[in-house]
Amino acid sequence: QVQLQESGPGLVKPSQTLSLTCTVSGGFISSGSYYWSWIRQPAGKGLEWIGRIYTSGRTTYNPSLKSRVIISVDTSKNQFSLKLSSVTAADTALYFCARDAYSSSANWFDAWGQGILVTVSS
Amino acid sequence: SYELTQPPSVSVSPGQTATITCSGNQLGNKYVCWYQQKPGQSPVLVTYLDTKRPSGIPERFSGSNSGNTATLTISGTQAMDEADYYCQAWDGSTEVFGGGTKLTVL
């Protein structure tokens, strides 16, 4: 049973870069059968997809965040990471990493981390 | 940008059938999946590729998608099904989630 665990600072100052890591256990991130995604949820609100990465390093980002997002993968550590630059209070949210299954031109998130709350504040 | 619209809330009596809708332009031409999220927990996938159900998800959860509307149906709703439900689809450039529906079992 695959498990995902987010880690990183819970507090980031405005204009700085938010950096999170997702550690995958119970399976190899390099297996090639999945993408790996980041999703966020502001308190009391809905879900927003941030972007995904394949083990080859190929990425796809939400156009609304694309200019500020970098997702990378480290297969040797079985981890993938998120960097979101120039953060503002609007980026305060619970950030989830998720395993991203796909077929027939569709993707779905079949395993999620517990989430990590990131607050943007000075 | 593409939008998926869900009713903010749906109420159902225990044992009855709950229907949660997700509307979007020509949504029937896309694949839809649904997630259940209970307070303080991560979302859980309950259906994918419109109608498929992951292992471990009870048979009372079923999905459909046609025209402009996808539907999550919960037959014989139980108290444990009370949660927020989100639909999701790919719009060609990004994954889009509906705004969520709070299902109340009373």
Side-chain angles (χ1 to χ4, degrees), chain B residues 30-105:
Chain B
K30 308 178 190 300
Y31 282 111
V32 174
C33 56
W34 289 90
Y35 301 89
Q36 175 194 71
Q37 186 180 31
K38 297 181 179 180
Q41 297 185 17
S42 304
V44 173
L45 180 73
V46 293
T47 69
Y48 64 103
L49 291 176
D50 292 344
T51 62
K52 296 187 179 300
R53 197 173 49 248
S55 61
I57 299 300
E59 291 184 6
R60 64 180 181 272
F61 289 88
S62 63
S64 63
N65 184 20
S66 179
N68 294 320
T69 303
T71 302
L72 176 68
T73 302
I74 309 173
S75 304
T77 306
Q78 301 183 8
M80 69 172 63
D81 300 329
E82 187 163 286
D84 293 329
Y85 290 85
Y86 295 91
C87 59
Q88 175 227 322
W90 172 257
D91 80 343
S93 64
T94 189
E95 300 293 347
V96 179
F97 288 96
T101 297
K102 181 176 181 58
L103 177 67
T104 301
V105 183

Side-chain angles (χ1 to χ4, degrees), chain A residues 25-104:
Chain A
S25 58
F28 291 106
I29 202 169
S30 58
S31 68
S33 301
Y34 300 95
Y35 288 87
W36 304 90
S37 275
W38 287 96
I39 298 156
R40 68 182 183 179
Q41 184 174 36
K45 297 188 177 181
L47 300 164
E48 180 180 32
W49 179 71
I50 299 170
R52 62 170 48 104
I53 190 165
Y54 195 60
T55 51
S56 65
R58 181 162 64 95
T59 53
T60 306
Y61 300 134
N62 186 325
S64 70
L65 298 169
K66 186 175 182 177
S67 64
R68 300 193 291 129
V69 173
I70 297 175
I71 297 176
S72 58
V73 64
D74 187 338
T75 55
S76 67
K77 294 182 179 179
N78 227 33
Q79 296 175 334
F80 62 106
S81 299
L82 168 70
K83 291 187 185 298
L84 180 66
S85 62
S86 304
V87 297
T88 69
D91 295 310
T92 294
L94 188 60
Y95 284 76
F96 295 101
C97 58
R99 190 175 72 173
D100 189 339
Y102 61 95
S103 176
S104 303

